[in-house]
Amino acid sequence: MRENLVFCDCDVIHGDVVEAARARMIDEGELYDLADFFKIMGDSTRVKILCALDAGEMCVCDLAVLLNMTKSAISHQLRSLRQANLVRPRRDGKVVYYALSDDHVRDIFEKGMEHIREVP
Amino acid sequence: MRENLVFCDCDVIHGDVVEAARARMIDEGELYDLADFFKIMGDSTRVKILCALDAGEMCVCDLAVLLNMTKSAISHQLRSLRQANLVRPRRDGKVVYYALSDDHVRDIFEKGMEHIREVP
DNA sequence: TTGACAATTGAGCAGTCGTTCAACTATAAT
DNA sequence: ATTATAGTTGAACGACTGCTCAATTGTCAA
């Protein structure tokens, strides 16, 4: 435990608490993945896209019209959402339709809403 | 609907879909709040802090030792978490203890975990 | 094959974010 | 009062992010 003091600018006040917390900590890699996942949800444009797709699949152009943004901007964000496995593309001719790829999104949306609505 | 074309660089392909989505969209203000909330969760340091506090309240110094970071860096992040109503401070003498202020955090953590574990 | 349009991509820019650093406040002990 | 320690704060710096713009790909129709 002492070796932590090398990197920290203070003494350990509650060594037992720290060790207990350390023992219960989720795997560090998973925590990074979790943060990355929330990071994707942490942008209003992407949140709007997800909210829109919750009503049914839409093409890039539809989303651009709905959100008053360029296709390019939408496409960039859809790329992030695709890489995070939150949306799924389906090509039909020249048009690419996007849909939610995961039911968890809905759940997480709801939990988030509960939180922000409960707080003054 | 036509006025959107002024700001968009494409034609409306599925006007009915767009209108249906628009009608079902969550209030714009709430969507921004939601994105802000996820933004707070979208940082590995803050996720680690929340994960640690899930084991019980801790002081700034304990968190600094646990995460191998300076008190200053931790304090800055706790400020964000405080403002988002995710943690609650309790002063006892010179020491300030922080605790989770909301049960939703746990739920959202779990939902997020489900998502990242289910995806290859 | 040529033209048109949906969509994607990469470079670049402006704005945001997290950490560091130094200065500061608050509380307690001597 | 002085000193020490826990914590906070603001400025500054580098890294990251989201949008724009221009160029490009993919698909269809003429």
Side-chain angles (χ1 to χ4, degrees):
Chain A
M1 185 158 66
R2 283 284 124 185
E3 70 270 12
N4 288 312
L5 300 183
V6 178
F7 307 106
C8 176
D9 59 345
C10 62
D11 295 331
V12 180
I13 300 186
H14 312 90
D16 52 336
V17 173
V18 172
E19 283 316 306
R22 202 193 301 279
R24 290 195 47 185
M25 283 291 271
I26 297 174
D27 170 68
E28 182 144 359
E30 278 188 320
L31 284 185
Y32 277 102
D33 291 344
L34 192 61
D36 284 342
F37 168 65
F38 286 128
K39 207 171 291 177
I40 292 293
M41 306 280 286
D43 174 78
S44 58
T45 299
R46 288 191 291 266
V47 163
K48 286 179 194 172
I49 291 175
L50 292 175
C51 184
L53 294 183
D54 190 38
E57 70 173 14
M58 297 178 75
C59 68
V60 179
C61 205
D62 291 340
L63 288 166
V65 172
L66 176 63
L67 305 184
N68 270 336
M69 296 176 63
T70 63
K71 281 182 295 184
S72 176
I74 297 289
S75 189
H76 277 297
Q77 299 295 19
L78 283 171
R79 186 170 194 268
S80 303
L81 293 169
R82 234 185 301 129
Q83 289 174 336
N85 274 288
L86 290 172
V87 302
R88 190 168 18 88
R90 174 180 74 83
R91 181 177 272 278
D92 180 21
K94 285 186 292 188
V95 182
V96 178
Y97 295 92
Y98 281 88
L100 296 185
S101 67
D102 196 311
D103 285 337
H104 294 135
V105 179
R106 241 176 299 262
D107 293 350
I108 291 171
F109 248 70
E110 279 168 30
K111 291 292 176 190
M113 278 297 182
E114 281 178 34
H115 175 77
I116 64 173
R117 280 174 177 157
E118 207 168 87
V119 168
Chain B
M1 184 158 68
R2 283 282 125 188
E3 71 270 15
N4 289 310
L5 300 181
V6 178
F7 306 107
C8 177
D9 59 344
C10 61
D11 294 331
V12 180
I13 300 187
H14 311 91
D16 52 335
V17 173
V18 172
E19 283 315 306
R22 200 193 302 278
R24 290 196 46 185
M25 283 290 271
I26 297 175
D27 170 68
E28 181 143 0
E30 278 188 320
L31 284 184
Y32 278 103
D33 291 343
L34 192 61
D36 286 342
F37 168 65
F38 287 128
K39 208 172 290 177
I40 292 292
M41 307 279 287
D43 174 78
S44 58
T45 298
R46 288 190 291 267
V47 164
K48 287 179 192 171
I49 291 175
L50 293 174
C51 184
L53 295 183
D54 190 39
E57 69 172 14
M58 298 178 75
C59 68
V60 178
C61 207
D62 291 340
L63 288 166
V65 172
L66 176 64
L67 304 185
N68 271 334
M69 294 177 65
T70 64
K71 282 181 296 186
S72 177
I74 297 290
S75 188
H76 275 297
Q77 298 296 18
L78 284 170
R79 186 171 195 269
S80 301
L81 293 169
R82 233 185 301 129
Q83 289 175 335
N85 275 289
L86 290 172
V87 302
R88 190 167 17 88
R90 173 179 76 83
R91 180 176 272 277
D92 180 21
K94 284 187 293 189
V95 182
V96 178
Y97 295 92
Y98 281 89
L100 296 184
S101 67
D102 197 310
D103 285 336
H104 293 135
V105 179
R106 242 177 297 264
D107 293 349
I108 291 170
F109 249 70
E110 279 167 29
K111 290 293 176 190
M113 278 297 183
E114 281 178 34
H115 175 77
I116 64 174
R117 280 173 177 155
E118 207 168 85
V119 168

